[in-house]
Amino acid sequence: MEERKLDIWIFNLEIAEGRSFSGHKESLDWLASQGFAVIPDIIMAQTADQVWAGIQHIADIRYSLNYGLDGAVVKVDDLQMRRELGMTSKVPRWAVAYKYPPERQETVLEDIVVQVGRTGKLTPLAILKPVRLAETTVSKATLHNQDFINEKDIMIGDAVVLQKAGDIIPEVVSVVKEKRPADARPFEMPRFCPVCGAPVATDDGGINIFCTGESCPAKDARGIIYFASKDAMDIEGMGPSAVEALISEGYIKDVSDIFTLKQHKERLIEEGIIGREKSVSNILAAIDRAKENGLNQLVTGLGIRGIGKQTAKILTSRFRSMDQIMAAKPEELMELQDFGETTAGDLVNWFEKPANRELIEKLRAAGVRMEMEEVQAAGDQRFAGKTFVLTGTLSRYTRDQASAIIESFGGKTSSSVSKKTDYVLAGEAAGSKLTKAQSLGVAVISEEEFEDMIK
Ligand SMILES: [Zn+2]
């Protein structure tokens, strides 16, 4: 906490053995008396008017506080009344949040530059005259694509209104047309990649454009940075500066080269481009550990368009090895949750490219794990040989969590209902899978019944 400059305010007391409280404020005061830092700006209100006045007051002092906030929470103080009010299936009936509208600021859009992402996507980025907005200085904002620029009629030199989406990411809301200078210039996305000069092409929808260069350095560097990032292979110490240094010194050209770095240990230490002996040893050890990562992390790291952290998990829960993924047909992939025609097609195309197949073989040869770890056969195997299909929205688990529970008891999950399905676990708003299960006479269980089964 010290190092990262993190701080905390306690906003609730769940349980204190041997003590009972009648009100929320009383419990917070007690926490404060025990030395806990408790949120200081609490307003006690007796009437709806007082609640509203409190919300207004917090809005007024919002930007003078030494912490950020995006709303106020109105709660019932009386703990007995809270128990009587209870919960809906998702939220308590005794608390509600009020969200403040985001702060807006005007500034000048001084230039538009084009960035090339790890998938080769070209994104226009607004370079702004720095302005204070919701407690940070903003000097850049994404303009997404040419359509966004056209719709908002954005020109270089324009005065623009900014706000932060979700109070985090700055976005251009509109142009102040009255202030458009005479020398304002329209912007067109380039027809060639600003990094490697290869022609660009649009994707299916025609909204986004991509660099077609086979070996675009922008794609390479960003791709490798992404591969090593927390979201993917999580290799500690392999951040952007280490990756860029290793690329420019010729140590790595693609992600598989990461795993051969240890052959250059002495030289790396001598040259010091990624630190001295200790850092080099630490990074090499982190690389070694990453070889044992889950297949989902590896698949995420490949940076295939449409395959992020979540989709990679879904993919590897069905296709348990790299070979199975490479052999998967588009129609099989489209049975998976979140896999549409485009994603399935992009995945198949990616693995059809010889250069990508070669990359996979290099990773395999380097000892990177290409299979999902099979669940240990030890322990409670009550679902052994049973296949579950999940459908609809579960209230207590994500689908991933429910699948993990089923697998931990030796069962399997499948994405489509057939005669071989043993149970269909149906959440809220279950659709065609439920109908199919009923027509095939497959047992349909509710979330409550599932809970009983796993007790
Ligand atoms: Zn390029």
Side-chain angles (χ1 to χ4, degrees):
M1 301 241 294
E2 187 73 16
E3 202 178 297
R4 298 275 175 117
K5 303 250 185 283
L6 291 175
D7 213 334
I8 188 171
W9 269 318
I10 312 295
F11 71 98
N12 193 43
L13 174 65
E14 255 334 281
I15 193 163
E17 257 170 48
R19 286 203 75 100
S20 67
F21 301 94
S22 59
H24 180 54
K25 178 73 163 61
E26 185 195 341
S27 71
L28 292 179
D29 289 344
W30 181 77
L31 278 175
S33 76
Q34 301 301 306
F36 288 100
V38 172
I39 190 144
D41 299 281
I42 294 172
I43 298 164
M44 297 296 280
Q46 305 297 331
T47 65
D49 283 343
Q50 286 175 6
V51 168
W52 185 239
I55 288 172
Q56 298 290 338
H57 172 70
I58 293 174
D60 291 341
I61 62 167
R62 182 175 175 194
Y63 293 108
S64 63
L65 297 173
N66 63 351
Y67 56 95
L69 61 88
D70 67 348
V73 181
V74 182
K75 293 179 183 175
V76 172
D77 185 59
D78 187 320
L79 298 178
Q80 178 54 34
M81 203 180 283
R82 282 191 186 185
R83 281 187 283 272
E84 281 168 29
L85 286 164
M87 308 255 304
T88 69
S89 64
K90 291 189 181 69
V91 293
R93 289 197 185 88
W94 44 264
V96 64
Y98 179 88
K99 289 276 181 186
Y100 293 110
E103 187 193 357
R104 291 185 168 187
Q105 284 295 343
E106 192 184 306
T107 190
V108 176
L109 189 153
E110 293 178 328
D111 200 3
I112 297 176
V113 297
V114 175
Q115 288 191 316
V116 187
R118 66 183 164 78
T119 58
K121 183 176 158 189
L122 274 67
T123 309
L125 184 75
I127 304 298
L128 305 160
K129 187 168 172 230
V131 62
R132 273 308 269 186
L133 178 66
E135 291 147 84
T136 61
T137 301
V138 174
S139 57
K140 287 171 191 163
T142 179
L143 298 174
H144 306 287
N145 50 51
Q146 187 74 51
D147 279 12
F148 182 88
I149 293 169
N150 296 350
E151 266 162 36
K152 298 211 184 286
D153 186 19
I154 296 167
M155 287 168 74
I156 297 167
D158 269 339
V160 291
V161 176
L162 297 179
Q163 71 176 26
K164 285 189 178 176
D167 265 21
I168 300 170
I169 303 156
E171 62 181 14
V172 173
V173 184
S174 59
V175 170
V176 187
K177 294 275 172 62
E178 312 85 83
K179 293 193 181 171
R180 175 166 288 169
D183 61 351
R185 288 176 290 132
F187 173 82
E188 280 283 338
M189 285 294 275
R191 281 182 293 157
F192 297 94
C193 172
V195 177
C196 73
V200 300
T202 60
D203 66 356
D204 303 334
I207 295 167
N208 296 314
I209 62 173
F210 292 85
C211 165
T212 59
E214 279 296 320
S215 52
C216 178
K219 284 198 274 188
D220 292 350
R222 281 166 195 259
I224 296 170
I225 291 165
Y226 180 69
F227 182 86
S229 73
K230 257 203 154 48
D231 272 345
M233 291 293 268
D234 196 12
I235 303 173
E236 218 182 320
M238 279 282 275
S241 57
V243 170
E244 272 154 22
L246 290 164
I247 291 175
S248 66
E249 295 301 314
Y251 284 101
I252 52 177
K253 287 193 192 67
D254 63 42
V255 297
S256 73
D257 295 330
I258 292 172
F259 299 96
T260 60
L261 277 175
K262 63 167 177 261
Q263 298 164 11
H264 311 295
K265 186 174 179 178
E266 304 306 316
R267 243 181 77 203
L268 282 169
I269 293 170
E270 215 176 278
E271 291 177 1
I273 59 162
I274 53 168
R276 295 294 165 186
E277 186 156 8
K278 191 153 179 277
S279 327
V280 173
S281 299
N282 286 345
I283 292 175
L284 292 177
I287 291 170
D288 245 4
R289 286 196 300 275
K291 288 181 184 176
E292 293 303 317
N293 280 348
L295 179 62
N296 55 319
Q297 286 177 272
L298 176 61
V299 171
T300 307
L302 296 175
I304 302 166
R305 211 192 291 176
I307 309 291
K309 198 175 165 180
Q310 214 40 44
T311 29
K313 268 191 195 160
I314 294 166
L315 179 69
T316 53
S317 67
R318 163 86 191 274
F319 300 96
R320 311 282 295 171
S321 71
M322 190 62 87
D323 290 328
Q324 285 182 25
I325 293 171
M326 285 161 78
K329 298 190 174 64
E331 54 273 23
E332 291 174 319
L333 293 165
M334 280 163 66
E335 286 173 12
L336 299 176
Q337 191 197 340
D338 297 342
F339 276 70
E341 204 174 330
T342 312
T343 307
D346 283 345
L347 185 83
V348 171
N349 287 341
W350 195 92
F351 281 108
E352 270 172 5
K353 285 199 178 138
N356 293 336
R357 290 205 162 239
E358 209 173 288
L359 179 70
I360 298 295
E361 291 321 310
K362 276 161 77 181
L363 286 165
R364 199 194 299 270
V368 179
R369 204 148 63 86
M370 298 274 161
E371 284 92 29
M372 277 314 263
E373 203 151 12
E374 290 307 328
V375 182
Q376 293 285 313
D380 188 338
Q381 295 291 294
R382 65 179 78 179
F383 293 155
K386 301 288 183 204
T387 302
F388 288 71
V389 172
L390 310 181
T391 180
T393 312
L394 303 174
S395 64
R396 293 181 192 82
Y397 316 96
T398 64
R399 287 198 186 188
D400 283 342
Q401 286 166 342
S403 301
I405 292 168
I406 292 164
E407 280 160 22
S408 73
F409 286 125
K412 274 187 195 154
T413 52
S414 164
S415 59
S416 58
V417 180
S418 72
K419 279 182 186 159
K420 289 180 189 158
T421 309
D422 296 287
Y423 299 104
V424 169
L425 171 54
E428 248 177 82
S432 60
K433 287 177 190 172
L434 179 59
T435 325
K436 189 162 181 200
Q438 285 159 340
S439 73
L440 289 172
V442 173
V444 176
I445 54 168
S446 68
E447 197 168 350
E448 285 71 32
E449 288 169 305
F450 178 66
E451 296 230 295
D452 285 339
M453 289 167 79
I454 61 174
K455 255 179 204 149

